[in-house]
């Protein structure tokens, strides 16, 4: 998984290209004057002093908004392996809620001045509250797919919550000693933090701030509502409003070879979230190499194998299977591609770190130096970095240090009591969490992408070796590898501190807001995972042939967990050789970027992190949607630049958050039995077929099928009905009592409407051969 925060780089780049005006003009129009990303904004001489940056209203609203992003992140993470920050959403919607409240409500009900620094506190609480969803889009589903925990996540809710508590606060603690180095000394950009800062500043400061704020807020809300409605309504007519199977349609009208593209997952999907992502991140080709070039080649060469998806359509294949009888000799293309994708992620990320080893070494010295200064005898501190934050607004050592110590103690207890892990291994996992936070800071500060999948998989390699050295059983080794890997994902919040620095806000106020947001995230993330798992059991069960959630990140985690815990690597040799070759290519490209390629050509060097994700992501719908969004943004920017600057990022943020919340609504509808799978019209790309079974009591036969293939779980059976078949011509529409007499010659029967692209008639027949 890569954690991506929406960014406003075009706005920043445009502002940097303009010439500077007077000092007074700098604060009047900060979003269109000459700016830099290093120094705090000049303070407006006319703005009121914000005595109360940390307020109940800001933290409460921020936590609520973060809860929405948490829902969005779990939905999108399970769908695609990507999660998104809450910076822009929390900044704009937080302003839209709190600014009117500050003007209309009495002081004791939340009234009073609301300025940019308090807005930063609200945005930071939102970011923190939405931060822990990645645990439930990676390691935990992998553990359930491997049968390492209980059958259903709801049976493990206590353990899910306590483990999430273990991961919630390390990132906040690690951020504080790293702030001075990465923000004040190295002055890394942290694009998401800079974008949030300029967004907040534009909402509060300047002669047109109120008009700008109103326009951006309305645009974001409209996009947000549209995305929710589309995601919910499309569930009832997916073939019309969501999935367009263009190549299937071409096959049906006579272009028979077009079914090959359908088999490889080239389907258009109207997903607002990933149209929005494309608007923010630029043009990409994540899945093209894997699913349009390499995948067809390995099938044609007899290296990987698909299964027939529909006998009625020649050439219609399923290449995405993961339940394999012989994964080494007869892998599916999806299984074969996981290994090159995972190794590319690892090699690209660690090559970046190796090429920036001086920065990493300096960061570690700086962090350790802060600790040593506390225990120096003479108390004399020589520091070449000037901290512009007043002493009383800084986070004291005892505050973040005590959070770190308490988190360490709680983690050791939970891991030892609930999961049986050695204290030494737990402490080592915490240490690696700190070390890997340097990778996260470097990557997020320079590129705005935090390669958390690579970090988690790399830690699994380390702890897998430890487990095998201690003679752990395979299942126990797999579980402890996954848990230790997730501990190293303790996310950093340093991007928020970049916005805090630029806005001259209080790091202490932001730290408290982040602590409150982390508490909310613990219960939101674990609770929402249980909701999704209940509505869509296929997330945690590999026996399902189809699933609404491809869980690409989970595949990588599970594959590495199995590989490092097994006595023999279950990797097809050809896949292993390809992984080594592509991994070396990733390393060479990164090294070349930092040694021989001029900086002006860096944009043309392939991003092997993105390519690796494309290998693991077993669908092409999201890269296609991202490509369309980036293309739209490109022409929007070229043709209507001022309009683009005003509305583009608000639309994108609304799309991303809205689809995620719509996914939560659909999950609730599925649990309640009122989803599109039950009541919607099947406007899909395939036509349903009918099977009739007369095998005794129709209620008993129906029970057998619905137990294994409930319509709400999209396992192939669409609907069932009971009645009678055969019978005498004169005995029309008999009653149950008449049939029971045996005089009508009717047989009790079950009528099944099923989707042949998901389940075949032979499989239904086999269900009765018990």
């Amino acid at each position: 998984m890569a954690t991506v925060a929406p960014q406003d780089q075009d706005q920043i780049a445009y502002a940097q290209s303009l010439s500077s005006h007077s000092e007074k003009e700098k604060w009047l129009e900060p979003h269109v004057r000459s700016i830099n990303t290093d120094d705090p904004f000049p303070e407006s001489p006319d703005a009121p002093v914000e005595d109360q940056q940390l307020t109940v209203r800001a933290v409460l609203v921020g936590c609520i908004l973060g809860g929405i992003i948490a829902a969005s992140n779990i939905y999108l993470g399970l769908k695609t392996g990507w999660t998104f920050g809450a910076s822009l959403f929390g900044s704009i919607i937080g302003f839209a809620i709190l600014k009117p409240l500050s003007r209309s409500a009495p002081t004791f009900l939340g009234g009073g001045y609301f300025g940019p620094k308090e807005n930063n506190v609200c945005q930071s609480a939102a970011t923190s509250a939405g931060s822990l969803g990645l645990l439930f889009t990676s390691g935990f589903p992998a553990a359930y797919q491997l049968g390492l925990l209980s059958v259903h996540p709801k049976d493990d809710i206590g353990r899910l919550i306590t483990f999430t508590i273990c991961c919630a606060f390390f990132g906040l603690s690690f951020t504080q000693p790293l702030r001075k180095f990465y923000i004040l000394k190295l002055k890394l950009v942290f694009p998401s933090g800079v974008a949030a800062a300029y967004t907040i500043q534009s909402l509060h400061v300047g002669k047109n701030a109120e008009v700008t704020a109103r326009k951006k807020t309305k645009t974001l809300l409209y996009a947000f509502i549209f995305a929710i409605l589309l995601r919910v309504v499309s569930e009832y007519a997916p073939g019309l409003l969501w999935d367009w199977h263009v190549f299937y349609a071409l096959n049906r009208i006579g272009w028979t070879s077009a079914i090959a593209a359908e088999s490889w997952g080239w389907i258009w999907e109207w997903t607002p979230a990933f149209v929005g992502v494309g608007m923010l991140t630029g043009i990409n080709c994540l899945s093209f190499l894997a699913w349009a070039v390499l995948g067809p080649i390995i099938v044609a060469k007899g290296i990987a194998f698909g299964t027939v998806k529909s006998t009625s359509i020649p050439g219609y294949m399923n290449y995405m299977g993961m339940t394999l009888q012989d994964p080494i000799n007869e892998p599916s293309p999806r299984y074969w591609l996981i290994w090159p994708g995972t190794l590319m992620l690892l090699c690209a990320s660690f090559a970046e770190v190796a090429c920036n080893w001086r920065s990493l070494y300096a960061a570690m010295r700086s962090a350790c130096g802060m600790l040593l200064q506390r225990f120096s005898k003479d108390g004399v501190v020589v520091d070449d970095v000037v901290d512009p934050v007043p002493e009383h607004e800084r986070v004291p050592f005892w505050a973040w240090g005590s959070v770190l110590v308490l988190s360490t103690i709680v983690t050791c207890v939970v891991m030892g009591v609930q999961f049986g892990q050695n204290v030494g291994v737990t402490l080592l996992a915490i240490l690696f969490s700190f070390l890997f936070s340097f990778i996260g800071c470097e990557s997020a500060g320079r590129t705005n992408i935090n390669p958390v999948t690579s970090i988690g998989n790399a830690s699994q390699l380390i702890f897998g070796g430890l487990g095998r050295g201690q003679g752990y059983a395979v299942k126990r080794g797999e579980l402890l590898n996954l848990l230790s890997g997730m501990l190293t994902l303790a996310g950093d919040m340093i991007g928020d501190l970049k916005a805090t620095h630029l806005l001259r806000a209080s790091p202490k106020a932001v730290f408290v807001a982040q602590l409150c947001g982390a508490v909310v995230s613990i219960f939101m993330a674990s609770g929402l995972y249980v909701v999704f798992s209940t509505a869509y059991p296929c997330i945690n069960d590999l026996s399902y042939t189809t699933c609404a959630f491809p869980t690409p990140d989970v595949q990588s985690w599970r594959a590495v967990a199995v590989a490092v815990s097994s006595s023999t690597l279950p990797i097809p040799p050809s896949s292993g050789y390809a992984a080594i070759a592509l991994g070396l290519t990733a390393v060479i490209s990164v090294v070349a970027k930092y040694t021989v390629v001029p900086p002006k050509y860096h944009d043309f060097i392939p991003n092997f992190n993105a390519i690796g994700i494309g290998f693991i992501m077993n669908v092409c719908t999201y890269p296609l949607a991202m490509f369309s969004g980036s293309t739209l943004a490109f022409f929007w920017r070229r043709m209507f630049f001022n309009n683009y600057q005003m509305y583009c990022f608000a639309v994108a943020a609304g799309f991303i958050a809205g689809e995620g919340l719509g996914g939560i609504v659909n999950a609730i509808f599925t649990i309640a039995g009122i989803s599109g799978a039950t009541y919607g019209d099947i406007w899909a790309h395939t036509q349903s077929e009918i099977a009739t079974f007369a095998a005794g009591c129709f209620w008993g036969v129906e029970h057998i099928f619905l137990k294994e293939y409930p319509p709400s779980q999209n396992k192939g059976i669409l609907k069932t009905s009971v009645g009678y078949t055969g019978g005498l011509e004169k005995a029309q529409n008999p009653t149950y009592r008449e049939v029971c007499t045996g005089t009508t010659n009717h047989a009790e029967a079950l009528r099944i409407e099923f989707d042949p692209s998901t389940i075949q008639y032979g499989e239904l027949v086999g269900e009765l051969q018990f």
Side-chain angles (χ1 to χ4, degrees):
M1 179 194 300
T3 302
V4 181
Q7 49 193 294
D8 200 349
Q9 291 171 312
D10 287 313
Q11 184 180 20
I12 295 169
Y14 173 66
Q16 287 176 323
S17 69
L18 298 177
S19 58
S20 177
H21 291 258
S22 67
E23 282 299 311
K24 188 172 183 180
E25 286 178 316
K26 286 183 181 179
W27 63 260
L28 282 175
E29 296 290 349
H31 60 294
V32 294
R33 302 300 180 193
S34 178
I35 62 173
N36 63 67
T37 60
D38 298 336
D39 302 320
F41 299 150
E43 293 194 88
S44 168
D46 300 327
V49 177
E50 288 188 72
D51 294 323
Q52 296 294 325
Q53 298 181 36
L54 179 66
T55 63
V56 173
R57 66 184 183 183
V59 173
L60 180 61
V61 170
C63 287
I64 293 172
L65 297 177
I68 295 174
I69 294 298
S72 178
N73 275 340
I74 291 180
Y75 169 83
L76 295 172
L78 291 171
K79 278 273 190 181
T80 68
W82 295 78
T83 59
F84 304 93
S87 297
L88 289 180
F89 187 80
S91 300
I92 298 175
I93 299 299
F95 176 90
I97 295 172
L98 291 174
K99 193 66 175 181
L101 179 68
S102 69
R103 291 173 172 173
S104 59
T107 304
F108 67 92
L109 290 178
Y113 177 67
F114 174 69
K117 296 178 181 179
E118 188 182 353
N119 205 157
N120 175 233
V121 169
C122 175
Q123 168 254 316
S124 299
T127 303
S128 181
S131 64
L132 291 177
L134 60 91
L135 297 176
F136 300 99
T137 62
S138 54
F140 273 124
Y144 282 105
Q145 290 181 2
L146 291 169
L148 306 178
L149 297 170
S150 300
V151 176
H152 302 293
K154 61 184 178 183
D155 300 327
D156 284 323
I157 187 63
R159 290 202 292 178
L160 296 180
I161 291 175
T162 53
F163 185 83
T164 308
I165 290 173
C166 296
C167 300
F169 302 105
F170 284 119
L172 298 180
S173 302
F174 298 156
T175 293
Q176 300 307 317
L178 297 178
R179 164 187 165 269
K180 199 169 187 180
F181 179 77
Y182 280 114
I183 294 178
L184 301 182
K185 187 169 185 178
L186 287 188
K187 298 184 178 180
L188 297 188
V189 176
F190 293 97
S192 63
V194 173
Y198 277 95
T199 298
I200 290 173
Q201 189 80 339
S202 70
L203 295 173
H204 289 270
V205 179
K207 58 186 178 182
N208 296 319
E210 188 168 346
V211 175
T212 299
R214 190 181 304 115
K215 289 181 178 179
K216 288 186 176 182
T217 301
K218 288 177 66 176
T219 301
L220 191 150
L221 285 174
Y222 289 152
F224 181 67
I225 294 170
F226 169 78
I228 292 176
L229 292 176
L230 178 60
R231 180 73 282 255
V232 174
V233 174
S234 66
E235 193 80 353
Y236 295 86
L240 178 66
L241 299 176
W242 197 252
D243 290 323
W244 284 12
H245 295 257
V246 177
F247 293 103
Y248 183 92
L250 293 174
N251 171 270
R252 295 289 83 191
I253 63 176
W255 185 10
T256 56
S257 60
I259 200 65
E262 173 77 20
S263 298
W264 285 105
W266 291 98
I267 301 164
W268 175 259
E269 185 171 285
W270 291 99
T271 163
F274 282 87
V275 172
V277 172
M279 293 167 69
L280 295 171
T281 58
I283 295 175
N284 65 87
C285 54
L286 292 180
S287 296
F288 185 81
L289 176 62
W291 302 103
V293 179
L294 193 54
I297 289 175
I298 61 177
V299 169
K301 294 292 185 180
I303 296 172
F305 305 87
T307 58
V308 176
K309 194 167 188 177
S310 176
T311 56
S312 62
I313 305 176
Y316 196 12
M317 304 292 291
N318 174 23
Y319 295 121
M320 309 302 173
M322 288 298 291
T323 305
L324 308 173
Q325 298 298 323
D326 188 359
I328 295 179
N329 298 310
E330 295 186 6
S332 68
R334 179 180 175 189
Y335 182 84
W336 193 96
L337 288 165
I338 278 177
W339 302 102
T342 299
L343 195 60
M344 275 190 286
L345 285 169
L346 289 172
C347 290
S349 294
F350 281 101
E352 288 279 353
V353 173
C355 290
N356 291 281
W357 69 271
R358 289 185 176 86
S359 296
L360 179 62
Y361 175 70
M364 294 179 66
R365 284 191 58 186
S366 177
C368 294
M370 291 184 64
L371 295 176
L372 294 175
Q373 290 169 13
R374 302 289 173 177
F375 303 101
S376 61
K377 293 182 179 180
D378 53 10
V380 177
V381 178
V382 178
D383 195 345
D384 60 345
V385 179
V386 178
D387 193 338
V389 177
E391 185 70 31
H392 69 279
E393 291 187 349
R394 301 175 192 172
V395 180
F397 170 78
W398 66 263
W400 66 264
S402 61
V403 171
L404 178 60
V405 171
L406 288 174
S407 295
T408 301
I409 294 172
V410 170
T411 301
C412 290
V413 171
V414 169
M415 294 298 291
V417 173
Q418 293 193 316
F419 299 100
Q421 179 158 289
N422 182 282
V423 172
V425 175
T426 301
L427 292 174
L428 189 62
I430 295 171
L431 174 61
F432 274 102
S433 178
F434 177 64
L435 296 177
F436 284 139
S437 68
F438 291 103
I439 300 175
C441 287
E442 281 285 335
S443 182
R446 297 180 187 277
T447 69
N448 216 36
I449 297 176
N450 194 343
V452 290
T453 286
S454 302
I455 290 172
N457 290 338
S459 67
Q460 283 199 78
L461 296 176
I462 297 168
F463 292 104
L466 288 175
R468 293 175 67 177
Q470 296 185 18
Y472 287 162
V474 172
K475 290 296 182 183
R476 186 186 179 200
E478 289 173 349
L479 177 61
L480 296 185
N481 292 343
L482 289 167
L483 294 173
S484 300
M486 285 190 285
L487 280 177
T488 63
L489 297 187
D492 66 87
M493 302 290 173
I494 201 166
D496 284 343
L497 291 183
K498 181 70 175 184
T500 302
H501 169 70
L502 294 175
L503 292 167
R504 298 180 182 269
S506 166
K508 184 187 293 185
V510 168
F511 180 71
V512 175
Q514 290 175 334
L515 286 175
C516 296
V519 173
V520 172
S521 188
I522 290 167
F523 298 97
M524 283 293 298
S526 53
L528 288 169
Y529 175 61
V530 171
V531 169
F532 275 110
S533 297
T534 303
Y536 307 98
C538 58
I539 291 171
N540 304 309
D541 188 348
L542 289 175
S543 66
Y544 286 73
T545 56
T546 60
C547 186
F549 294 89
T551 62
D553 196 40
V554 178
Q555 316 309 326
S556 178
W557 276 74
R558 189 186 68 249
V560 174
V562 171
V564 300
S565 301
S566 176
S567 56
T568 60
L569 290 179
I571 303 175
S574 57
S575 177
Y577 297 143
I580 293 171
L582 289 170
L584 288 174
T585 303
V587 172
I588 292 170
S589 72
V590 172
V591 173
K593 181 175 71 173
Y594 285 101
T595 55
V596 298
V597 178
K600 63 181 180 180
Y601 297 119
H602 282 188
D603 288 342
F604 298 99
I605 295 178
N607 183 340
F608 277 88
N609 271 304
I611 295 172
I613 290 170
F615 273 56
I616 296 169
M617 185 183 295
N618 63 305
V619 290
C620 306
T621 52
Y622 308 116
L624 284 174
M626 291 170 68
F627 180 82
S628 69
S630 61
T631 304
L632 171 65
F634 175 80
F635 286 105
W636 189 358
R637 184 176 185 272
R638 289 287 297 271
M639 299 173 67
F640 309 101
F641 185 77
N642 291 334
N643 185 273
Y644 164 88
Q645 277 206 304
M646 176 65 71
Y647 298 115
C648 178
F649 303 104
V651 170
F655 277 176
I656 292 169
E659 184 179 329
L661 193 60
I664 286 289
V665 174
N666 284 339
I668 295 171
F669 282 4
T670 300
I671 295 172
I674 59 173
S675 69
T678 304
Y679 290 103
D681 293 327
I682 311 300
W683 291 25
H685 65 293
T686 57
Q687 294 184 351
S688 61
E689 295 183 6
I690 302 297
T692 303
F693 295 94
C697 172
F698 47 43
W699 299 119
V701 177
E702 184 181 46
H703 173 75
I704 292 172
F705 283 106
L706 294 184
K707 180 180 178 181
E708 296 297 326
Y709 306 99
S712 63
Q713 294 180 8
N714 302 318
K715 298 181 77 171
I717 290 183
L718 305 175
K719 62 179 64 175
T720 61
S721 57
V722 297
Y724 309 103
T725 187
L728 300 174
E729 186 176 350
K730 63 180 181 179
Q732 298 295 320
N733 300 319
T735 66
Y736 182 75
R737 289 184 179 274
E738 290 172 340
V739 172
C740 288
T741 65
T743 59
T744 67
N745 287 353
H746 282 91
E748 295 183 42
L750 172 69
R751 182 182 185 272
I752 297 177
E753 183 180 350
F754 67 96
D755 180 357
S757 69
T758 302
I759 188 171
Q760 297 299 304
Y761 176 73
E763 295 179 74
L764 296 175
V765 173
E767 193 63 36
L768 292 178
Q769 296 175 348
F770 47 84

